[in-house]
Structure formats: structure tokens, C-alpha cells
Amino acid sequence: MSHIKRRDSIQVMVGDVPVGGGAPVVVQSMTNTDTSDVEGTVEQIKHLHRSGSEIVRITVNNDDAAQAVPHIKEQLLADDVDVPIVGDFHYNGHKLLVKYPEAAKALSKFRINPGNTGTKTRDENFCTIVEQAIKYDKPVRIGVNWGSLDQKLLAKKMDANNELENPKSSKQVMLDTMVESARRSAELAESVGLPSNKIIISCKMSHVQDVVHVYERIAELLDYPLHVGLTEAGMGMKGTVASTAALSVLLQQGIGDTIRVSLTPKPGGDRAREVRVCQQILQSLGIRNFVPQVTACPGCGRTNSTYFQELAEEIQGYLREMMPIWRDVYAGVEEMNVAVMGCVVNGPGESRNANIGISLPGTFEEPKAPVYMDGEHHSTLRGDNIGEEFREILDNYVMRNYGSSQGGNSTNKAETVQETGE
């Protein structure tokens, strides 16, 4: 695992999930359902949680949403899904939490944006939410966003900057205001009576260098755990790459206690993609392991056949499909490395370096596929059923190498689950 030295921070419990204080970096996500749709929201929470989201946030924006919260929690517990649920409050959270105490009790954390708690009564409304957090013993994430920054504070900082002999750029003043808003809001929360071990901080923007700059400053200034990510990262490759760039720079410095990748999904797209991106960032950096990794070559003129690509995709999908089962049965299987290679140039070498690997024949090569286990040649596959035979070898490898720590029934349990499909 990684030798990255983590930043020291206070530990905050979100439900049963520790955040900060040396705990593993936590992956979280957010639903995009109408929260008043209890059944739809429950199903998406369950999907996100099964995919690896350890904390899930929901929108609580009106009376219907607030009334739905306890029913959502009740149904999740009935389905044996005990994932912490965070309430996302903007503009009217001070009213909803007071009006609907059962919602406040059901949530594991409140998320407050200090820029969206009012205008003239901003601090008063903010303090009301904090008071409800104290009353129900809930932690709070103070989430500063540059798209909804406290305009009164920003104007004050701009006026002060204009009086300087060498004024800063407007962009730099905005970044300063982000940091100041987070610091000031945390101090205000503590002055109301919220303990420091109930506060998590975030300062999100949509540009990589801005996010890195602000979090580096916050990490030096405050010792609360930090929720890290880009806000409005975007769609597809842009959102994935930008989020990966920002998070990787910060995580490599030990900054970040819980992360979210805020991807814009395609209409009807899989919300859990952002969870998998979070996991892959952490796993690529060697910070946490979630699912066995597949090494596969990019292909070249030696690999005119697409079979190695198809098999690599099939094996990667199979590993992710099996992890909910394997995770409970085979300790450490998430650290396994699998190689699916396309020709003789690097195929045997990469396969030997993996826990288990297969080197498929390239163009004009003899139609055979040697399989390697832990650096040694295991067997050679031929014919039309190479993929099926390799998957069977993979299953046997997992049972043999990761089953012993779970007791004598682990292999039988896994075999039963695979046969029944449950």
C-alpha cells in the first residue's frame, strides 16, 4: 500500500463511518432522484452503496423531501442497508430541520453551504442549523462553493483589496474569500457549541489549480477533516480527468479524508460511475484497494484480433460483478492483479508479474495462450473456449489463495453463491 503521509486531522464519525484522524479515505456520492420519491431514492442509495459509496448524500430542499427522509432511512434499514445518509441543505435548511425533527434524527450528517443560508439573516440561519446538529448529535459539513459564495463577505474582501497599494487579482481575492468563509464558518459553529469533532470542511471549485491551491491553504490553516473534490466537474472524459488530476495532486500530499467525484451523468446514465472513479483514483495511488486490477496492453499492429480486448473487458466486468460476493468471503482478494495481454512481446512478462495472467496470441503467432500464476507457468490454453477456461482458472486461484483466512466454509459458500447467482 501507499507510503503517503496523511495530514493529521480530527476524526469525525458520520454514522458508523470514521472520517479523518488516520481513518481510510472515505468514498461518497449523492443521489439525483427526487427525494420525495421514497422508492426511487432508496433504490439509488442501495445501488450507490453496493457500488462502493460509503456515505450517500440526498437533497432536502422542501417539505416533501424532509417528510420522506425518515421513510427512506426506515426502508434502507429494513433492507439491511445501514449506510450513513447526509442531508444537503440550502436556503431553507434552518426551517426544515426545526419543522421536521424526525428527518433531523434520521440523517447522519447535515451539509450546510454558508453562502446559501440567507441574506440579511445568513448567520442566524446558519446558527439555527448548527443548533439542530447539536440537539441531535449530528456532524456538519461546512461546504463552501465558489458558485454560491457569501457575496457580503466577498464584497468586503474586494473593498479591502482595492485599498491596497498593490491589489490582488479578483480571482485571488475570491480564493482568499473561500478560505476565509470556511474558517469563519467553522469558528461560528464552534462558538454556538458544536464540538470540533463534529465539523468537516470543503471548499469546492470547478477548476483544478484553484481547488489544489485552496485545499493546500486550508490544510495548513485548519485541522478539521477535509471533504475533497471538484464541484461541477463535468461530463464524461472531461469530468473524470479533471477530477483525477485535482484529487491525485492533493491525495499525494496527504490532503483529503473523504472524496467525491461530481460527474454529470448522461440522461439515464449510471450514477455509480462517479463512485468507481473515486475508487480507481485511490487504488491507482495505492491508498486503498477495492477490486482486483486488470493489466491489459493497448494493442498494436501485432494484435489485429480484438479478442484480447474483449477478454480483458469481460474479465474486468466479471471481477467487479464478483466483488460483492468475494469481499465477504475472501480476505485480501481486492489486492489481486490480473493480466490479459495481447501478444508475445510483453504478454509473458506482464503475466508473470501479475498474480494470474494470460498471454494471448498476436497476429501470426501460434494459436496458444500460456497462463501464469505467481510468476510460474501454470498451463497453456487452446481452442475456442479460452475465455471460459481462463475464468475457471481465475475462480480456482481466488478460492485457493484467498479462502483460508475465512474458515473452512468459505469455498463452499462462494461456490454456492456462484451456482445460484444470489
Side-chain angles (χ1 to χ4, degrees):
M1 292 303 291
S2 172
H3 298 292
I4 297 170
K5 186 181 186 306
R6 296 280 302 284
R7 161 185 170 268
D8 291 331
S9 69
I10 300 166
Q11 186 165 101
V12 175
M13 295 300 299
V14 181
D16 293 330
V17 176
V19 178
V25 178
V26 174
V27 173
Q28 62 178 283
S29 57
M30 184 176 183
T31 61
N32 60 358
T33 57
D34 182 343
T35 305
S36 63
D37 175 7
V38 173
E39 183 176 344
T41 302
V42 166
E43 286 305 309
Q44 191 172 89
I45 291 171
K46 288 162 64 175
H47 175 57
L48 291 169
H49 185 52
R50 282 194 302 267
S51 300
S53 184
E54 295 157 305
I55 296 173
V56 179
R57 183 159 44 114
I58 62 175
T59 298
V60 186
N61 58 330
N62 54 37
D63 292 79
D64 290 341
Q67 289 175 315
V69 170
H71 300 293
I72 290 168
K73 185 67 175 180
E74 181 182 0
Q75 191 165 324
L76 286 170
L77 292 176
D79 293 338
D80 200 28
V81 178
D82 190 14
V83 59
I85 304 300
V86 179
D88 193 58
F89 293 100
H90 297 272
Y91 309 111
N92 59 354
H94 58 292
K95 296 179 180 178
L96 294 175
L97 284 168
V98 172
K99 187 175 181 180
Y100 300 102
E102 294 306 313
K105 293 175 186 176
L107 294 167
S108 296
K109 184 176 73 174
F110 306 156
R111 190 272 192 177
I112 319 173
N113 182 339
N116 284 345
T117 56
T119 50
K120 296 180 180 179
T121 58
R122 176 173 285 116
D123 286 355
E124 179 182 337
N125 297 344
F126 178 90
C127 291
T128 298
I129 299 175
V130 171
E131 288 166 356
Q132 298 308 300
I134 296 168
K135 180 177 180 179
Y136 297 108
D137 193 29
K138 307 292 182 179
V140 165
R141 170 159 74 97
I142 297 172
V144 181
N145 273 35
W146 77 337
S148 49
L149 194 54
D150 182 337
Q151 293 302 301
K152 184 176 179 181
L153 179 60
L154 179 60
K156 182 179 178 182
K157 299 284 282 186
M158 287 289 189
D159 290 343
N161 181 65
N162 290 335
E163 295 178 2
L164 297 176
E165 184 177 345
N166 296 305
K168 300 177 182 179
S169 67
S170 298
K171 177 72 165 294
Q172 186 59 55
V173 175
M174 179 175 282
L175 298 179
D176 291 345
T177 306
M178 294 281 293
V179 175
E180 177 65 16
S181 178
R183 184 196 64 77
R184 178 184 177 280
S185 298
E187 288 183 355
L188 180 58
E190 287 205 51
S191 73
V192 175
L194 190 66
S196 59
N197 67 348
K198 295 290 186 182
I199 298 173
I200 296 173
I201 297 291
S202 69
C203 283
K204 289 189 175 183
M205 288 147 287
S206 54
H207 298 306
V208 172
Q209 295 295 350
D210 295 334
V211 167
V212 170
H213 173 78
V214 165
Y215 273 101
E216 286 175 343
R217 289 179 59 186
I218 288 286
E220 291 183 355
L221 185 65
L222 303 175
D223 58 359
Y224 307 106
L226 299 179
H227 170 117
V228 180
L230 265 68
T231 188
E232 294 97 30
M235 298 185 70
M237 183 174 67
K238 183 268 179 184
T240 300
V241 172
S243 295
T244 301
L247 286 170
S248 296
V249 171
L250 292 168
L251 290 166
Q252 187 68 23
Q253 298 180 70
I255 298 171
D257 302 289
T258 178
I259 64 172
R260 183 192 172 203
V261 170
S262 302
L263 295 180
T264 304
K266 294 180 180 179
D270 186 0
R271 189 66 166 179
R273 184 164 183 256
E274 64 179 42
V275 177
R276 293 190 284 272
V277 173
C278 283
Q279 291 179 328
Q280 191 59 57
I281 292 170
L282 293 173
Q283 189 145 353
S284 296
L285 291 170
I287 294 173
R288 288 186 67 184
N289 289 316
F290 298 93
V291 66
Q293 298 289 279
V294 176
T295 299
C297 62
C300 66
R302 292 176 176 269
T303 55
N304 292 338
S305 168
T306 61
Y307 184 66
F308 84 94
Q309 298 161 310
E310 294 163 3
L311 182 58
E313 186 174 19
E314 176 189 328
I315 294 299
Q316 185 168 279
Y318 179 69
L319 293 171
R320 189 167 289 280
E321 176 188 338
M322 293 305 297
M323 271 310 293
I325 301 167
W326 286 354
R327 187 181 296 115
D328 294 334
V329 181
Y330 302 123
V333 69
E334 67 276 3
E335 300 178 14
M336 180 175 67
N337 288 304
V338 181
V340 179
M341 301 298 294
C343 80
V344 73
V345 174
N346 289 321
E350 288 284 1
S351 297
R352 288 191 185 95
N353 288 328
N355 296 109
I356 179 170
I358 184 170
S359 180
L360 295 163
T363 307
F364 304 125
E365 292 179 23
E366 184 180 349
K368 63 179 184 179
V371 175
Y372 298 86
M373 284 187 183
D374 298 321
E376 302 293 332
H377 179 259
H378 170 267
S379 57
T380 299
L381 305 181
R382 294 178 172 84
D384 298 329
N385 298 313
I386 286 177
E388 183 179 334
E389 292 174 15
F390 181 65
R391 195 169 73 176
E392 184 177 341
I393 293 171
L394 175 60
D395 285 337
N396 290 332
Y397 181 88
V398 170
M399 292 184 203
R400 186 170 63 251
N401 289 275
Y402 298 99
S404 60
S405 62
Q406 299 295 325
N409 294 325
S410 60
T411 299
N412 293 335
K413 179 180 177 183
E415 287 175 338
T416 299
V417 172
Q418 290 181 33
E419 289 171 3
T420 62
E422 294 178 356

